[in-house]
Amino acid sequence: MKKFAVVLSGSGVFDGAEIHEATLSLLAIAKAGAEYEIFAPDIAQHHVINHITGEVMNETRNVLIESARIARGKINPLSAFNAASFDAILFPGGFGVAKNLCSMAVDGSNCNVNKEVEKAVSAMYKEKKPIGALCIAPALIARIIEGVKVTIGQDESTAATIQAMGGTHVNTTHGEVIEDKANRVFTTPCYMLDATVLDIYNGATNIVNAIMDSMK
Amino acid sequence: MKKFAVVLSGSGVFDGAEIHEATLSLLAIAKAGAEYEIFAPDIAQHHVINHITGEVMNETRNVLIESARIARGKINPLSAFNAASFDAILFPGGFGVAKNLCSMAVDGSNCNVNKEVEKAVSAMYKEKKPIGALCIAPALIARIIEGVKVTIGQDESTAATIQAMGGTHVNTTHGEVIEDKANRVFTTPCYMLDATVLDIYNGATNIVNAIMDSMK
């Protein structure tokens, strides 16, 4: 049975992992007959956002502890990730990717990447194992793997950031998956487009199935 | 197009709405060709649980604001709910139902129900519109509507609580839906059983489809 590592960045689209993308990624993996383990870095969130008003809340939360809400407590610190134990790695989106897993939301194309995230992606890349990313997460992968071909949908500003990091951006619409065969990187836009939960279901299903097909 | 009201109780299985059940309920509604609006009461959570350790955290969170994480900000206070605008109402599970929407986790069969929750359920019941509940939420419905027939799976203690409240409990397994035709109440066990995300997908799909069929 193929095994995915799913890396979360909190719980909630504006300061963490996008909840529908995360949940529907887990569902897609299970539907494909594969299994998963969930990881997140044990670090403070960049900030906490009130998801109604969009304003910063005066509190602190931990990325691993909040990600555990999506994982129902079954989660490991990303420091424990071992590439040898997994067949693929998958990053759901959400602003947490650009705020907690790297500093892209603040620093753009010159952003820093969390060391554990960089290590996990680089280890999978070195072993030529598939790397999947939804929504904004493809930009994170483009910062780690030089010259990768990805999609984040059609957002011109984010596409420009990807190009500035040396990546190639391909415009896509709902549910489409871009496969960079040479680098074994799979990406799909999800909520980087104006999407519904049904679009996310299709996107998560398509990217997981594309990854599974590539391992046949 | 049929319209569901989905009532959340926070964001996270141990102190709020169960995230997979909530997300997969939204997906099931969309797949069935219906639409939804999301509601939650604007009240403090009973408490905040660290979802890794299970321990109470020394902080306060608001049920509406946390539920907005699952709703991506598109949520209304339950005080604004108007039964005339909806064809059905659906309650995903999670401990938030028994801690925030009523006091069952503390008070058992003698629990108090949040007044807005009671009003919303009673209004739909009076209009003979379908009421759906997943996981532990059927026990909440049994507290509001006397003599209802529901399932929460096979948990003997919760089944006894439901009987003590005057309800009838029917044992079920993964994905099964109990329909109380006289009362138009639909229930399914989800994570009240030792379930996978795939089981929740099936349970949420089956309960939404059963509700849709009943409205044909």
Side-chain angles (χ1 to χ4, degrees), chain A:
Chain A
M1 191 180 257
K2 297 295 181 187
K3 194 168 190 179
F4 283 68
V6 177
V7 183
L8 299 183
S9 58
S11 178
V13 55
F14 299 126
D15 59 17
E18 209 295 315
I19 287 175
H20 303 179
E21 291 172 4
T23 300
L24 297 173
S25 291
L26 302 181
L27 176 65
I29 293 167
K31 285 188 92 167
E35 57 186 342
Y36 56 80
E37 274 185 40
I38 304 174
F39 294 86
D42 185 6
I43 56 174
Q45 289 187 192
H46 173 66
H47 58 194
V48 180
I49 296 285
N50 177 320
H51 276 55
I52 296 176
T53 64
E55 284 168 13
V56 174
M57 298 174 82
N58 184 25
E59 51 179 281
T60 57
R61 296 188 187 182
N62 175 286
V63 173
L64 178 61
I65 292 172
E66 296 309 313
S67 297
R69 294 178 172 272
I70 296 173
R72 298 170 46 82
K74 288 185 185 162
I75 194 164
N76 300 300
L78 189 56
S79 57
F81 173 80
N82 179 2
S85 303
F86 293 91
D87 299 294
I89 192 168
L90 189 67
F91 291 81
F95 277 98
V97 172
K99 291 176 174 178
N100 301 326
L101 304 191
C102 69
S103 65
M104 195 176 310
V106 177
D107 301 322
S109 61
N110 290 317
C111 64
N112 298 309
V113 177
N114 173 280
K115 290 299 167 207
E116 293 171 4
V117 172
E118 186 162 12
K119 196 176 157 192
V121 170
S122 297
M124 294 298 278
Y125 182 68
K126 201 170 286 179
E127 295 195 16
K128 300 195 191 321
K129 290 175 175 174
I131 298 162
L134 288 66
C135 186
I136 186 66
L140 168 71
I141 305 304
R143 181 63 173 153
I144 301 171
I145 304 173
E146 219 181 305
V148 78
K149 183 175 74 175
V150 299
T151 185
I152 50 80
Q154 300 169 17
D155 183 70
E156 289 182 14
S157 160
T158 309
T161 300
I162 288 167
Q163 309 270 31
M165 297 187 298
T168 302
H169 183 264
V170 184
N171 275 358
T172 52
T173 188
H174 301 294
E176 284 189 85
V177 175
I178 293 297
E179 177 179 356
D180 178 334
K181 290 197 186 199
N183 291 309
R184 300 207 77 188
V185 169
F186 299 75
T187 53
T188 190
C190 287
Y191 278 125
M192 280 296 291
L193 298 169
D194 185 13
T196 68
V197 68
L198 204 50
D199 296 321
I200 307 312
Y201 172 72
N202 291 331
T205 301
N206 292 347
I207 193 171
V208 166
N209 289 347
I211 291 171
M212 291 294 284
D213 287 345
S214 81
M215 294 191 286
K216 273 178 185 164

